[in-house]
């Protein structure tokens, strides 16, 4: 395992993409260990890794998010959030958090959400006198709501890799997402009063009804997805297709803001993003193949169990490992590496796979907001034109709030399992 990880990290350090790093590490490891004849199976394993009906949810949900952005549905959601809470002191900061919460049903990915909300909210926050680093940090941590509240791309990937019900994972992320959103709202409210942040501009009375009505079609999309899956009307993959059709209908017939040029760009962006994800998944199947040959997950699990078999200590240790992995790896690559070990440790830990899925995803998402890899931090700092170090410092109190939610998810099963149990 150390040899494999060493090769993988060296590949990342020299600038190799994650997908190629996984493949290169697998290839070199097999050659060094004298299993070169197994390279013939690599193409078959790659195809088998992405030959899954469930994986179609990824490009479909990416397309749905791109269509909503191109149709300016995100802008309507932000305006509705401003209408609801904008007149409170520190109103734009509160609007930022609420926009992340409402947009989480559109993007399902922290990076997309950070780019969308950051582009809309950070410039006006800077104009109103907010510290650019604080505006960027709030946007970054708020974007973590996207991977928790359905539809969530990381939860879909966890479901595919572990065989866990995606519908249950979607439901399990709702309460942790609400808790995190509430904590960020309280922090923004406290910060607004402490530093005397300005209120957002008043929206004329005659415009308020129109704003809410206009934003309603965009806001109800995640509700449509969850209700459709849980009621059995459609599968998660079909729900992703329905989301695309719904976004298309809204863009062309309700908002009338989509055109063929924007549609072409949506398909192009979706294809490039989806190919990147699918290539990682294909290479991940090779990684699983190599790890399985050498029984490395079982060996690592045995090593960890040699330290302790106490389920509580094992959960703490896993959280520490996941947080460290998140510092250096993109969430998908980290999930690929840790999943075989999680599967081997699961019987001893005794944690429900749905609860574990939310715990794993939240751990790895926190890594997106922490250096040195912190992709979300890079996105928001570039939008705010604020030094990365300043944004990282400003995000520390909000990351502590994320750790509180992580503790609750790991320690209190009812937070994740309550809604799925109620709807069974």
């Amino acid at each position: 395992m150390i040899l494999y990880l060493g090769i993988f990290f060296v590949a990342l350090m020299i600038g190799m993409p994650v997908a190629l790093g996984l493949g290169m590490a697998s290839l070199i490891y097999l050659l060094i260990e004298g299993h070169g004849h197994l390279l013939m199976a690599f193409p078959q394993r790659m195809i088998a890794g992405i030959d899954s009906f469930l994986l179609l949810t990824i490009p479909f949900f990416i397309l749905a998010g791109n269509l909503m952005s191109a149709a300016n549905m995100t802008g309507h959601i932000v305006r509705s959030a401003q209408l609801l809470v904008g007149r409170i002191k520190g109103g734009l900061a509160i609007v930022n958090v609420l926009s992340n919460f409402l947009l989480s049903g559109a993007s399902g990915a922290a990076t997309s959400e950070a780019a969308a909300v950051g582009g809309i909210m950070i410039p006006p926050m800077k104009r109103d006198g907010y510290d650019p680093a604080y505006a960027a940090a709030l946007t970054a941590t708020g974007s973590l709501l996207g991977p928790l509240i359905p539809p969530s791309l990381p939860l879909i990937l966890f479901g595919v890799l572990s065989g866990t019900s995606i519908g249950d994972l979607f439901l399990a992320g709702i309460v942790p997402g609400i808790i995190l959103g509430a904590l960020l709202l309280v922090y923004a409210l406290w910060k607004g009063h402490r530093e005397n942040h300005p209120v957002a501009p008043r929206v004329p009375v005659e415009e308020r009804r129109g704003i809410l009505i206009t934003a309603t079609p965009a806001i109800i999309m995640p509700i449509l997805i969850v209700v459709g899956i849980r009621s059995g009307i459609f599968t998660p993959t079909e729900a992703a297709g329905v989301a695309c059709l719904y976004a298309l209908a809204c863009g062309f017939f309700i908002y009338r803001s989509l055109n063929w040029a924007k549609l072409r760009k949506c398909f192009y962006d979706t294809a490039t993003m989806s190919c990147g994800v699918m290539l990682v998944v294909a290479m991940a199947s090779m990684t699983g193949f190599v790890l399985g040959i050498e029984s490395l997950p079982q060996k690592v699990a045995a090593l960890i169990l040699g330290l302790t078999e106490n389920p509580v200590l094992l959960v703490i240790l896993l959280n520490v490992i996941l947080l460290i992995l998140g510092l250096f790896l993109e969430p998908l690559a980290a999930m690929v590496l840790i999943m075989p070990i999680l599967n081997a440790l699961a019987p001893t830990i005794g944690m429900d796979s749905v609860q574990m899925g939310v715990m794993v995803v939240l751990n790895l998402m926190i890594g997106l907001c922490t250096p040195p890899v912190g992709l979300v931090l890079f996105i928001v700092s570039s939008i705010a034109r604020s030094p990365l170090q300043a944004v990282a410092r400003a995000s520390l109190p909000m990351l502590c709030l994320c750790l509180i939610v992580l503790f609750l998810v790991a320690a209190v099963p009812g937070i994740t399992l309550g809604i799925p149990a109620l709807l069974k």
Side-chain angles (χ1 to χ4, degrees), residues 93 96 100 117-118 121-126 130-141 191 197 380 384 386 391 394 398:
N96 188 314
N100 270 299
V117 176
M121 292 304 307
I122 291 177
M125 289 179 73
K126 289 175 62 179
Y130 287 82
D131 177 17
Y134 167 65
L138 185 64
T139 305
T141 49
K191 186 102 169 165
H197 288 157
V380 296
S386 178
V391 177
M398 290 169 274

Side-chain angles (χ1 to χ4, degrees), residues 328-353:
F328 301 100
L329 295 178
E330 294 177 351
L332 179 56
M335 201 180 297
V336 167
L337 290 175
I338 200 70
M339 275 307 302
I341 299 171
L342 289 176
N343 290 333
L345 290 174
T348 304
I349 295 174
M351 180 181 289
D352 188 279
S353 61

Side-chain angles (χ1 to χ4, degrees), residues 75-84 202-217 219 255:
H76 294 302
I77 290 175
V78 170
R79 290 196 71 195
S80 68
Q82 184 173 339
L83 174 64
L84 294 173
R202 182 180 295 276
V203 179
V205 176
E206 59 273 12
E207 294 183 16
R208 296 178 185 178
R209 181 186 176 98
I211 290 173
L212 290 176
I213 292 174
T214 303
T216 299
I219 293 172
Y255 298 110

